[in-house]
């Protein structure tokens, strides 16, 4: 088992028991399992997971990131909706200018 995987499993065990994830607790669990891990991994994972809700992260693994951005954009109101058509028109104009070059994909 890799060192990183052992620390992740230890973090999941702590989260499942609703125990705060600290470097000392991670090290205790991994040592009890008899796995040798460099001490730096414990502090790295403890800092990375501080304040994170692992259960929410695991439940939203397959959720697309665009959905949350879309919800935030919808909450912004009509101002964002008014800007979107202007950006679309600019993109369309750029596509039309490519046709004016006198060549196409199948020429």
């Amino acid at each position: 088992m890799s060192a990183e995987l052992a620390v992740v499993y230890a973090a999941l065990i702590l989260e499942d028991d609703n125990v705060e994830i600290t470097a000392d607790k991670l090290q205790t669990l991994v040592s009890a399992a008899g796995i040798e891990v460099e001490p730096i991994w414990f502090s790295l994972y403890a800092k990375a997971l501080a304040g994170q809700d692992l259960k929410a992260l695991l439940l939203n693994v397959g959720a697309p990131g665009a959905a949350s951005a879309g919800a935030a954009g919808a909450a912004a109101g009509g101002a964002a909706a008014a800007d979107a058509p202007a950006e679309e028109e600019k993109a369309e104009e750029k596509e039309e200018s490519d046709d004016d070059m006198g060549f196409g994909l199948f020429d």
Side-chain angles (χ1 to χ4, degrees), residues 41-67:
W41 290 112
F42 303 117
S43 60
L44 285 174
Y45 276 89
K47 288 178 184 177
L49 297 174
Q52 299 290 327
D53 184 11
L54 284 182
K55 292 177 184 174
L57 289 173
L58 290 172
L59 292 175
N60 293 324
V61 164

Side-chain angles (χ1 to χ4, degrees), residues 11-98:
L12 290 174
I13 290 169
L14 291 173
E15 180 67 25
D16 191 47
D17 288 341
N18 294 322
V19 176
E20 182 183 2
I21 299 172
T22 64
D24 293 333
K25 292 176 184 174
L26 290 172
Q27 186 172 12
T28 302
L29 278 173
V30 171
S31 297
I35 301 170
E36 293 184 24
V37 176
E38 293 181 31
I40 187 70
W41 290 112
F42 303 117
S43 60
L44 285 174
Y45 276 89
K47 288 178 184 177
L49 297 174
Q52 299 290 327
D53 184 11
L54 284 182
K55 292 177 184 174
L57 289 173
L58 290 172
L59 292 175
N60 293 324
V61 164
S68 58
D83 292 339
E87 291 176 11
E88 249 180 61
E89 290 177 15
K90 290 179 185 177
E92 289 177 13
E93 289 176 13
K94 187 174 182 179
E95 290 176 11
E96 291 174 7
S97 66
D98 291 345

